[in-house]
Structures are given as structure tokens and as C-alpha cells.
Amino acid sequence: MTKPKFAICDKDELYCMRLDEYLRGNLSLPFEICSFTDPLIMEKFVKENVVTLLMISESVLMDLEENLRKLICRNVLILDEGMGSLSMVREDDKEQDVNIAVVNKYQAASGIVDRIVSYCADSTEVFDGLGMRMDGGKGKVLGLYSPLGNCGQTTMAIAMAEYLAEKAKVAFLSLESFSSLSHTLGISSEEDITDLLYYAECEKEKFGLYLERIKKTRNNVDYVMPAKTAMQIKEINLDRMNNLLELLIKNCGYDYVIVDMTEYPSDFFEIATGCDKIFTITRQHPADKYKMMVYENALMMSGYEELLNNTVKCQMPDVKDKRSFDLYLRDLLEREGIIDGAKT
């Protein structure tokens, strides 16, 4: 399948080269990126090829004799260089069915990536399906839940995700209200899992685009920030969760989805049962052993033997001893058949 073409034109050779390099490494959308420093060559290319998205600098715009009407491209992002010439983007340009937006050229490259993704998500149907893959990933859903509080579950979930992400495509979902995950990771996002669930239900054609906008990547793991309140988490039922997981695995190609189940969404046990494995941290303190016994008895009495069968009990070593912790995690994943043991 041919990738949609994304043409970039800026006369500043160094800037154009660095932007091209950054986008190839950080823009996950499946564009074929073509960069130009000569506006005449860019014009010729656009006229001879179907270009889905064009990004041009303000100075290049000034070189176009008839502005954007000369270009056979419907979607245009202009890099604002502060020259004050953007009034050249006249109303009659917009009336030519050209979807124009402006982005600050001199912001961080990550900001330009965010703007590109938002532009594609908010624009016409020409971007429908962008970011979606039909080959799918391995499709393993690994849940973590323990009835014990302050047991290091999220720490283990993050470590597991980052370990697997060294060789696979990994998404991380957190079901925890008033979470400190954003602070722990040093990342922030205005949108969270509740927004992603909405798009999974109502905007499936552009789900891949919205995912690119919402997720935040650290150490190769794509994190989706948790809901803000417990009430929002309780609105996450089995059907909504299954729909989200199916899109992440089958349409976005994730090999593993890590679900940190700290809170109780609606259909909690059904969601947990749907995971390929549930990792449950235990401790040897008598009170903790008793609490685990109560939890397991509740599962048995409620008919969730399958969940018990998929449960992997584990006792984490001290996370401060990184070597011991890493070895424990590797051995755990190998023993459960999640990795093949070939990794050193």
C-alpha cells in the first residue's frame, strides 16, 4: 500500500534537514516525507504527484507567484517565520478548497509534531485511517492488579512496559484516579484515557490520529494518561475496554498493552479476566496474606476461576536494587512465556 506523501519546503537547508530528520524519527504517522529547499522543485513535485499534506515556510509562500492556488494540494501547513506576510493567505486562497493552518516555525520540534497530528485529526476525511495498521500486533494484554495497597504495582507495570518496549510495540493504560503517573514519568497531557475511549467509539476512522495526539512516549512506551476521577474510571465498562483494546492491537499494531488496574472500573473482574495474564503482587506479612485469601475466595465464590488461573503471583525485590529487580522481571517474563529467553 502506497504511503500518503508529506512534502516539506524551507529554503533554510540546515533547518529543513533537521526538521526532516526529526519528523522521520518522531512522527509516527505513515507518511512518505519528501523535503525540498528549492520552491521551484517543490512546485514541480507537487504538480506531478498526489501530495496529501504540504508544509511550507512563510518565505517560500512569498515566492509563490499566485500563492497557494498554484499548488495542487488541499492541505497546507505554513511555518510562521514572523515576517508579517501571512496576510498573503487571502480569503480567495481559502475559497479554493485549500485547508490552511499556521504553525510557529521556531518552537520545539516536538511542538511541530503535535501540531501536525492535531491538524490531521481536525481536518477533512482525507486523513481517515491514517495511523492505522491492518497487520496487527501480537495482541497480548498484560494486566496488573493486587488487593494490597502501596505494593509497588505501578512501578512494576512501568518497568515491565519499558523492558518489553526494547523489542516490541507497547502501550500503557492506567486505571487509577488522582494518579501521580504524570509526575512520575515527567510528562503531561491534557487528554487522557476517557478521551481515547470516546474516540474509539465515535471516531474510529481517525482513531490512529487521536491516539498519536493523546499518547505520550517515554523509553519507547506509549503512555495514555489515566482518568482524573474515580467516577470516570467507573464508567469504563467491558464493552468500551474491549473496543479500545481491539483498536490498539488489531488496528494500531501494538504487541503488548499493559493495563495497570489500580481502581475498580465497571466490569472490573470481566476486564481482568480478558487479560492474557494478571500479575498480582503479594507480600509475606500475615495481614497481607489474609487480604489475599479474602480476594481469592471472592473470585472463587463469584465464578471467576479463569481469572485465578491467569493470575501470576509475584513478590517484587527491592526496586532500589536495580540489578536484582531487573533480573527478577526478566526471569518472571521468561517463565510465563512472554519472552522467549533469548534476550540477555
Side-chain angles (χ1 to χ4, degrees), residues 28-47:
S28 298
L29 302 178
F31 281 116
E32 178 185 343
I33 299 176
C34 309
S35 298
F36 306 89
T37 56
D38 186 327
L40 295 178
I41 297 176
M42 179 274 295
E43 283 190 64
K44 185 175 185 295
F45 179 83
V46 171
K47 289 176 181 177

Side-chain angles (χ1 to χ4, degrees), residues 19-274:
L19 180 60
D20 179 288
E21 182 180 355
Y22 187 86
L23 293 181
R24 290 179 189 275
N26 296 275
L27 181 63
S28 298
L29 302 178
F31 281 116
E32 178 185 343
I33 299 176
C34 309
S35 298
F36 306 89
T37 56
D38 186 327
L40 295 178
I41 297 176
M42 179 274 295
E43 283 190 64
K44 185 175 185 295
F45 179 83
V46 171
K47 289 176 181 177
E48 294 177 352
N49 295 272
V50 177
V51 174
T52 304
L53 178 60
L54 171 65
M55 175 180 280
I56 58 174
S57 65
E58 185 178 358
S59 56
V60 170
L61 177 64
M62 295 177 65
D63 287 345
L64 301 179
E65 293 178 3
E66 298 180 37
N67 295 332
L68 298 173
R69 286 177 295 172
K70 288 188 65 178
L71 302 177
I72 309 171
C73 185
R74 182 177 179 182
N75 302 288
V76 181
L77 275 168
I78 301 173
L79 291 165
D80 185 356
E81 297 174 294
M83 300 170 64
S85 64
L86 291 183
S87 58
M88 294 177 63
V89 185
R90 302 186 303 267
E91 288 301 320
D92 56 351
D93 288 320
K94 298 178 182 179
E95 292 172 1
Q96 299 298 317
D97 198 24
V98 179
N99 184 22
I100 303 168
V102 176
V103 57
N104 181 6
K105 174 178 175 176
Y106 300 111
Q107 65 180 303
S110 59
I112 294 178
V113 168
D114 290 343
R115 185 67 183 92
I116 292 169
V117 173
S118 293
Y119 175 88
C120 293
D122 296 338
S123 297
T124 63
E125 67 280 358
V126 71
F127 295 107
D128 286 0
L130 196 64
M132 306 288 263
R133 288 171 37 177
M134 301 314 295
D135 53 342
K138 293 179 181 178
K140 297 291 185 182
V141 181
L142 307 179
L144 290 94
Y145 173 75
S146 176
L148 310 181
N150 299 316
C151 62
Q153 176 178 301
T154 298
T155 299
M156 181 176 178
I158 293 172
M160 183 180 296
E162 293 184 351
Y163 186 88
L164 292 172
E166 292 178 13
K167 288 193 173 182
K169 187 174 182 181
V170 180
F172 187 104
L173 307 179
S174 173
L175 301 181
E176 180 182 15
S177 61
F178 311 111
S179 172
S180 62
L181 182 64
S182 177
H183 175 74
T184 299
L185 298 173
I187 56 180
S188 61
S189 175
E190 293 182 2
E191 296 178 291
D192 57 40
I193 191 172
T194 59
D195 299 290
L196 194 61
L197 284 162
Y198 170 81
Y199 295 130
E201 293 175 307
C202 303
E203 294 277 0
K204 283 191 176 182
E205 295 80 6
K206 290 188 176 181
F207 176 80
L209 286 167
Y210 288 116
L211 174 64
E212 287 299 317
R213 189 173 75 185
I214 292 172
K215 71 179 178 65
K216 300 299 177 183
T217 304
R218 199 196 80 159
N219 294 338
N220 296 324
V221 179
D222 292 337
Y223 290 92
V224 177
M225 292 297 103
K228 304 297 188 299
T229 69
M231 290 303 297
Q232 288 176 309
I233 292 174
K234 289 186 180 299
E235 294 174 356
I236 303 174
N237 59 31
L238 179 63
D239 288 341
R240 299 183 72 197
M241 194 67 178
N242 282 346
N243 183 46
L244 176 58
L245 292 172
E246 182 176 13
L247 285 170
L248 288 172
I249 292 168
K250 293 185 178 180
N251 297 96
C252 296
Y254 282 97
D255 299 308
Y256 300 99
V257 180
I258 307 296
V259 186
D260 185 12
M261 303 180 70
T262 305
E263 304 275 349
Y264 289 95
S266 177
D267 302 331
F268 170 81
F269 292 123
E270 288 82 2
I271 292 172
T273 300

